[in-house]
Amino acid sequence: MTNTRKNKMALLYGVNDVRVEECDIPALKTGEVLVKVEAATTCGTDLKTFKRGGHPQIIKSLPSPFGHEMTGTVVEVAEGVADFSKHDRVVVANSAPCHECYYCKKEKFNLCDDIQFINGAYAQYLTVPARFVKYNTHRIPDDLPFEKAVLAEPLACVLYACKKINVQENETVVVIGDGPMSFLFNQVINFKKARSIVVGLDPQRLEWAKQSGAALVMNTAEVNVAQEINRITDGFGADVAIEAVGLPETWEQAMALVSKGGRVLCYGGCAKGTKMSVDTYRLHYDEITLLGTFHYTPQVMDEAIELLRHDSVDTSLFTSEVRGLEDLQKIFMGKDLKPALKYLIRASSV
Ligand SMILES: [Zn+2]
Ligand SMILES: [Zn+2]
C-alpha cells in the first residue's frame, strides 16, 4: 500500500525541546491502521518527559513522536485488521500488553514484561501498530465527542487506581496534589459519593478543585494539613489518602493522614532509586494498607469511555483551552498566557 499523505507532527528532540516537522507517512504494515488525530491532550507525564528529555518507559530514544492522549478517525486500514474500518471513531490507548508473558497470562496486563508504548498524539496522523490495534484501540460511541473521549486514558488510570483502593460511599478521601490527575480523582471520588479533600499549593488550581466538587481544599502553604484532617475527622484521620505528586515525602505524608485501618494509594511515580520511610508501628498495629498502582489495563479503558459518555465526569475543566502543535513548546515551558490543567491540542490550525 502506498501512501502519499504527509504528517505534520511534534517531535521531542531533548530537554525542553519539541519541534514541529512534516514527515512522510510510511506505508501501513499488516494489522496496522492510520488514524487522523481529531483531539489530543497534554499531560503531566508529557511535561515530565519534556523536562527530562525522555522517559525511562515511554520515550527511550530521540527524536521521538510525542503525546499519548488522543482520539481520531480511522482513515486507512491495512490487511489483517478485522475489528476496524475506515471512518471508525476511536481512542488509541498508549500501551499494548503482549498477552503472552507471565503477567499477561494472569491478566495483569499493566505489568506486562513486554508492554509497548505509543507516542505521536501531537500530530495530524498516527500510524497504529498491529498490537495496539488488536489490544488497546477502542471505538467511541457516536454520541461521545472526540473532545471528551480524549480523556479516556488518564481517566482509565484513575479508575484503575480507585478500584485498587476500593473507595466506598461516605468515606473521607484526601488527594495530595493539584495536577490534572487529582481533578480526575476528585470527580471519581464524588461519583462514588465519598468526600474528597484536595491538598495542593496552587491557589488557582485549588479554587478549580472546589468548583469541580471537592468538599474541601487545603493549601499546604497556609495550613497544617495533618492537624486540619484530624480536626475535620474528629481526630481519627482520613479513610483513604491518595498521593498524586510523585515525591517520597508526600508518600510519607499520605501515610500520616489516614486513620487506623486506613488505605494509602501511592499513585504519583517517584524518581528511580528513591526511598520512603515507613512507620512500622502504624503499618502493623494500625493496620495501614500501603498500595502501589501503575497505569491501567485495556479493560478499564472501556469503563472510562462509558463514564465519559454518560457525563459522569466534567471534562470542560480539561479541554477548554485549545491550542495548535506550534504552541506545544510554549505550553511545556509554562509560557502559555492562560494557565490550564490541560490543553486540547488540534493538529489542524485553530
Ligand atoms: Zn497521560
Ligand atoms: Zn505481557
Side-chain angles (χ1 to χ4, degrees), residues 97-105 109 111-115:
C98 73
H99 281 245
E100 282 168 17
C101 73
Y102 177 83
Y103 297 102
C104 282
K105 287 198 172 126
F109 297 113
L111 303 179
C112 170
D113 265 338
D114 184 33
I115 195 165

Side-chain angles (χ1 to χ4, degrees), residues 226-297:
Q227 269 175 19
E228 274 301 289
I229 300 284
N230 258 331
R231 190 181 63 78
I232 60 167
T233 56
D234 298 326
F236 290 107
D239 300 293
V240 176
I242 297 171
E243 198 276 4
V245 176
L247 292 171
E249 47 271 39
T250 29
W251 281 28
E252 288 169 16
Q253 183 191 18
M255 192 166 164
L257 295 179
V258 293
S259 63
K260 284 187 194 179
R263 288 110 66 206
V264 177
L265 185 75
C266 302
Y267 178 84
C270 300
K272 207 172 177 176
T274 51
K275 291 190 168 58
M276 74 182 282
S277 69
V278 172
D279 183 332
T280 51
Y281 183 94
R282 283 217 77 201
L283 190 71
H284 178 75
Y285 293 101
D286 290 354
E287 276 196 353
I288 308 294
T289 304
L290 200 54
L291 265 176
T293 177
F294 169 67
H295 207 51
Y296 57 90
T297 58

Side-chain angles (χ1 to χ4, degrees), residues 169-226:
E169 205 172 322
N170 295 324
E171 285 191 316
T172 297
V173 184
V174 184
V175 181
I176 304 175
D178 53 22
M181 294 318 255
S182 300
F183 283 73
L184 287 172
F185 272 115
N186 183 27
Q187 298 213 31
V188 173
I189 292 161
N190 284 340
F191 181 69
K192 290 182 181 287
K193 299 192 170 62
R195 174 164 73 154
S196 156
I197 299 169
V198 175
V199 174
L201 267 172
D202 183 320
Q204 168 75 81
R205 287 178 171 222
L206 290 174
E207 186 52 43
W208 287 336
K210 220 190 254 169
Q211 285 166 18
S212 75
L216 214 62
V217 296
M218 291 181 191
N219 190 329
T220 43
E222 290 167 5
V223 297
N224 180 319
V225 174

Side-chain angles (χ1 to χ4, degrees), residues 41-46 58 67-69 94 122 150 153-155 157 181 267 295-296 342:
T41 32
T42 60
C43 161
T45 304
D46 291 342
I58 294 170
H68 65 274
E69 296 176 5
N94 68 326
Y122 304 140
V150 72
E153 189 270 336
L155 182 59
C157 291
M181 294 318 255
Y267 178 84
H295 207 51
Y296 57 90
K342 278 178 175 286

